[in-house]
C-alpha cells in the first residue's frame, strides 16, 4: 500500500484486508469484481445480472464496489465506472478522509485509477499519457496495467485531461 498523494493510497486486496478493513472512517474503492462486488450483490454465476440496478457499481456509505475485471480489451471498461471512482476519491479527500483504492494485486486497475486521479485533479503528473505513466512509476513502482485498462486510459486520456 503506497500513499500516492496526501491521504490517497493505492494497494491490493491484501492491503485492504490486513491494514484498512476495520477502519470505518476510510473511503474505500473496491476496484475488483471478486470478491467484493460479488459478495455485496450476492450473485453466484459468472457475473451480476445485467439488469441489476447496481450491475456496474454499488455504493454503501464510504465504500464503492466496482464490477471491474482486468479484462484484456478496453471495450470492457465502462467510463461511468471510472468517472464514479474518480468523483468518489475526490469526495473522500475533500472530506479530509483517507482513501484506499485497491484491486486484487494492486498492479493494474487500482493504480490506473490512482494515476487518472492524479492527472485529473492535481498538477503532480505531466499532461501526456506516456509521460504521466513514466512519472507515476516513480510514485508507484508496482504499476503494471493490463492491456484493457491501459488501452482504456490511452483511448480516453484527452477526455480526462482537458
Amino acid at each position: 500500500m503506497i500513499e500516492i498523494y496526501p491521504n490517497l493510497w493505492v494497494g491490493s486486496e491484501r492491503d485492504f484486508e490486513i491494514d484498512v478493513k476495520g477502519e470505518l472512517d476510510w473511503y474505500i474503492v473496491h476496484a475488483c469484481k471478486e470478491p467484493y462486488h460479488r459478495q455485496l450483490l450476492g450473485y453466484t454465476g459468472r457475473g451480476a445480472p445485467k439488469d441489476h440496478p447496481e450491475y456496474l457499481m454499488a455504493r454503501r456509505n464510504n465504500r464503492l464496489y466496482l464490477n471491474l475485471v482486468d479484462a484484456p480489451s478496453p471495450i470492457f471498461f465502462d467510463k461511468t465506472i471510472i468517472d464514479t471512482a474518480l468523483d468518489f476519491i475526490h469526495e473522500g479527500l475533500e472530506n479530509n478522509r483517507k482513501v484506499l483504492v485497491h484491486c486484487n494485486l494492486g498492479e493494474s486497475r487500482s493504480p490506473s485509477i490512482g494515476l487518472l486521479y492524479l492527472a485529473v485533479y492535481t498538477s503532480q503528473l505531466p499532461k501526456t499519457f506516456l509521460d504521466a505513466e513514466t512519472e507515476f512509476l516513480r510514485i508507484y513502482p508496482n504499476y503494471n496495467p493490463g492491456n484493457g485498462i491501459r488501452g482504456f486510459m490511452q483511448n480516453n486520456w484527452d477526455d480526462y485531461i482537458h
Side-chain angles (χ1 to χ4, degrees):
M1 192 165 84
I2 296 173
E3 189 174 23
I4 64 167
Y5 188 74
N7 285 332
L8 176 56
W9 300 79
V10 171
S12 67
E13 180 179 344
R14 180 178 164 84
D15 294 323
F16 169 72
E17 291 291 335
I18 292 173
D19 297 326
V20 182
K21 187 174 186 175
E23 303 294 329
L24 300 179
D25 59 330
W26 281 60
Y27 272 55
I28 307 296
V29 177
H30 298 288
C32 47
K33 176 180 97 172
E34 298 292 348
Y36 304 99
H37 187 265
R38 176 183 296 281
Q39 288 173 350
L40 181 71
L41 270 57
Y43 52 94
T44 57
R46 286 192 77 197
K50 291 192 185 309
D51 61 349
H52 192 287
E54 295 177 314
Y55 172 74
L56 292 178
M57 70 206 108
R59 180 173 178 170
R60 302 293 186 274
N61 300 314
N62 57 340
R63 303 288 193 260
L64 183 64
Y65 302 81
L66 306 180
N67 185 0
L68 197 60
V69 297
D70 208 1
S73 170
I75 64 170
F76 297 109
F77 288 86
D78 190 298
K79 193 170 183 300
T80 304
I81 293 176
I82 305 301
D83 293 349
T84 301
L86 296 176
D87 291 344
F88 181 83
I89 293 165
H90 194 65
E91 175 188 317
L93 294 176
E94 288 287 300
N95 286 322
N96 296 312
R97 298 290 184 90
K98 291 181 180 179
V99 178
L100 171 64
V101 183
H102 82 86
C103 58
N104 299 113
L105 298 177
E107 295 177 359
S108 185
R109 291 162 287 176
S110 60
S112 295
I113 291 170
L115 186 162
L116 271 175
Y117 182 84
L118 294 182
V120 171
Y121 286 98
T122 77
S123 59
Q124 197 166 338
L125 296 177
K127 294 302 179 189
T128 63
F129 177 68
L130 293 177
D131 291 339
E133 263 194 330
T134 300
E135 184 61 30
F136 187 71
L137 273 165
R138 290 186 182 102
I139 299 166
Y140 193 84
N142 297 337
Y143 175 62
N144 184 24
N147 290 334
I149 189 71
R150 188 167 189 271
F152 170 86
M153 291 173 49
Q154 282 180 301
N155 295 345
N156 292 281
W157 188 257
D158 290 340
D159 292 339
Y160 286 109
I161 309 304
H162 311 247

